[in-house]
Amino acid sequence: EPAPVLVAGEEPSCRTSGGLPLGTVRQECRGLARAAVRLDAPAVEARLALVVERLGTAAAWEEVMAPALRAVGRKWETAGERYVEVEHLLSWHVSSALRRVPPAPATTGPPVLLACVPEEQHTLPVEALAAGLGERGVPLRMFGGAVPAGALDDAVRRTGPAAVVLWSQSRDTADRRLARAVAGRAWGVKGARGGASLLLAGPGWAGPTPGGVLRPRSLREALRLLGAGEAAERG
């Protein structure tokens, strides 16, 4: 399947790097793609660490990591079994780089809950969001891929989050019944019950969005909607 991304945009042109169709991208993305195609793990790791340090998580994901992952996914689709090893190596190192982003001291208050819908295994976009929130000191709970509906409901009830982000990569995994249940979940004593904001992230949620539910189209937009849009940005 195509590599998961949390950024919208037009298909790039046919310009390539390392055999991958990248289009018009930052030079750092081209260098990362070339290192990945060579299976040069140390170079991939070093380039990822550098772009996160220089650009911050949001720009590193949207302008370097995601375009490279998208290009590998397209190449994989058109080349059969070829480039699977490139996609696996790049994905593993992107995940590792995101988890190494140093978090800022967390602020007080209810956390943001991040989860993939029950049938969704693509986790890199929510890992990027988790890194961006942590970089900005936003308290969070990350539950990763394929979270069962009952477990998600229990987590919402137990944590009383400020917001819940549900990721779906494809329409086959988007569970709108679950989204409605999360949006309707409330807690607290009678007369002072509260609930969480719901963000439906990922291309699987394409189509009409229920009233009151937020639909971020990019990592930066998700951070802004969660009140973490400006801090920790690099030049």
Side-chain angles (χ1 to χ4, degrees):
E1 296 181 27
V5 295
L6 184 60
V7 58
E10 298 180 355
E11 287 294 307
S13 63
C14 60
R15 294 176 60 188
T16 64
S17 183
L20 300 179
L22 285 168
T24 303
V25 294
R26 297 181 68 110
Q27 185 59 39
E28 295 94 332
C29 182
R30 296 189 176 281
L32 177 63
R34 286 194 294 268
V37 169
R38 295 195 308 268
L39 301 182
D40 187 344
V44 169
E45 182 174 343
R47 289 177 182 276
L48 287 169
L50 188 60
V51 296
V52 171
E53 179 183 357
R54 287 182 174 177
L55 304 178
T57 301
W61 171 257
E62 292 189 346
E63 299 174 24
V64 180
M65 298 174 181
L69 286 163
R70 188 189 299 115
V72 172
R74 275 197 301 271
K75 192 69 174 181
W76 180 6
E77 283 188 306
T78 59
E81 291 293 323
R82 295 185 60 203
Y83 286 87
V84 173
E85 73 285 1
V86 177
E87 191 274 340
H88 283 202
L89 181 138
L90 181 57
S91 295
W92 190 88
H93 281 285
V94 167
S95 178
S96 298
L98 292 170
R99 296 189 188 205
R100 283 196 293 266
V101 174
T107 58
T108 58
V112 174
L113 190 155
L114 309 175
C116 295
V117 292
E119 302 299 321
E120 184 57 70
Q121 298 287 353
H122 292 105
T123 63
L124 283 179
V126 282
E127 290 179 40
L129 180 54
L133 291 171
E135 189 178 42
R136 292 155 172 78
V138 177
L140 64 97
R141 303 290 184 272
M142 170 62 160
F143 293 96
V147 180
L152 179 63
D153 183 72
D154 188 51
V156 170
R157 178 179 54 80
R158 293 172 60 190
T159 61
V164 177
V165 181
L166 292 181
W167 171 264
S168 172
Q169 173 68 15
S170 71
R171 293 193 180 191
D172 292 337
T173 64
D175 189 336
R176 295 186 180 275
R177 181 181 299 179
L178 174 62
R180 288 193 295 270
V182 173
R185 162 62 78 177
W187 52 84
V189 298
K190 187 176 181 179
R193 296 176 66 79
S197 299
L198 176 61
L199 282 72
L200 300 180
W205 301 110
T209 302
V213 175
L214 303 173
R215 177 78 171 88
R217 298 307 202 273
S218 68
L219 177 56
R220 284 188 176 98
E221 184 179 1
L223 290 169
R224 180 181 58 79
L225 291 172
L226 293 168
E230 300 300 327
E233 289 292 336
R234 309 289 195 270

